[in-house]
């Protein structure tokens, strides 16, 4: 958030394209990877995802209604994750197993590609007074806490379900 608030980010479309291409490539690579190569694919996906989060942060914090846009972003994220969690087991899990999630992640990045054209190429710099006020607002702090808790919940879910999968005779690795 600090990097997104400072300076005047340029080439947002190019950065978004790079992030999407990294996500697509990492998830395609992950389909056949195992062991340490799978870890490398996840690291590449993390870099691509980090770029996408940075672009989203840039776009949100430069709006006068940033708290509302942030709330809409979290609501859309929650609905999308809920739909994916409900639909993956019913549609893709049986034929693709653990690779179903990689297909969905890569597929979502492919679907985003045409939307890149709707992004602004660059955004105005944040005025220092707006930055100081927004950085100390309760909603800004709670937004960061929500993002942390969402990610912690995902990691916690994997840590919880992996031993259950192994105990059930499923592979603990991809």
């Amino acid at each position: 958030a600090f990097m997104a608030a400072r300076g005047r980010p340029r080439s947002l479309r190019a950065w978004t394209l790079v992030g999407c291409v990294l996500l697509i490539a990492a998830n395609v690579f992950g389909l056949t990877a195992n062991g340490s190569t799978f870890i490398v694919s996840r690291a590449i996906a993390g870099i691509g995802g980090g770029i996408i989060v940075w672009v989203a942060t840039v776009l949100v914090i430069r709006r006068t209604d940033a708290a509302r846009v942030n709330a809409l972003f979290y609501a859309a994220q929650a609905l999308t994750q809920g739909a994916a969690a409900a639909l993956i087991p019913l549609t893709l899990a049986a034929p693709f197993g653990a690779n179903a999630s990689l297909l969905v992640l890569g597929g979502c990045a492919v679907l985003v590609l045409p939307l890149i054209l709707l992004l602004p190429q660059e955004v105005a710099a944040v005025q220092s007074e707006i930055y100081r006020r927004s950085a100390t607002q309760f909603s800004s702090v709670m937004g960061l806490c929500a993002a942390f808790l969402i990610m912690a919940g995902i990691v916690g879910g994997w840590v919880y379900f992996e031993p259950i999968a192994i105990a059930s005779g499923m592979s603990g690795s991809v």
Side-chain angles (χ1 to χ4, degrees):
F2 177 78
M3 287 179 59
R6 294 295 179 206
R8 187 171 178 184
R10 300 180 196 282
S11 305
L12 291 179
R13 291 180 193 157
W15 279 109
T16 306
L17 180 63
V18 168
C20 285
V21 167
L22 286 173
L23 281 170
I24 294 165
N27 286 297
V28 169
F29 175 61
L31 292 172
T32 59
N34 58 29
S36 60
T37 56
F38 185 76
I39 294 170
V40 170
S41 78
R42 297 299 82 214
I44 294 168
I47 293 168
I51 292 170
I52 300 300
V53 168
W54 174 77
V55 170
T57 304
V58 165
L59 294 172
V60 168
I61 66 171
R62 282 173 164 66
R63 294 186 53 101
T64 56
D65 57 347
R68 184 180 72 80
V69 173
N70 195 29
L72 292 171
F73 174 77
Y74 277 124
Q77 181 181 0
L79 290 172
T80 305
Q81 287 176 337
L87 294 175
I88 289 173
L90 299 174
T91 58
L92 298 173
F96 297 107
N99 286 338
S101 61
L102 300 177
L103 291 169
V104 170
L105 290 170
C108 286
V110 169
L111 293 174
V112 167
L113 292 174
L115 299 176
I116 293 173
L117 296 173
L118 301 175
L119 293 175
Q121 187 60 10
E122 62 181 63
V123 292
V126 175
Q127 298 168 356
S128 61
E129 179 58 31
I130 293 172
Y131 176 73
R132 273 195 298 270
R133 270 190 284 131
S134 67
T136 57
Q137 285 182 346
F138 181 74
S139 62
S140 298
V141 174
M142 290 299 103
L144 290 173
C145 289
F148 174 77
L149 292 174
I150 288 169
M151 294 299 117
I154 291 169
V155 171
W158 281 111
V159 169
Y160 177 75
F161 287 115
E162 184 179 17
I164 294 171
I166 292 170
S168 299
M170 300 170 84
S171 173
S173 63
V174 177

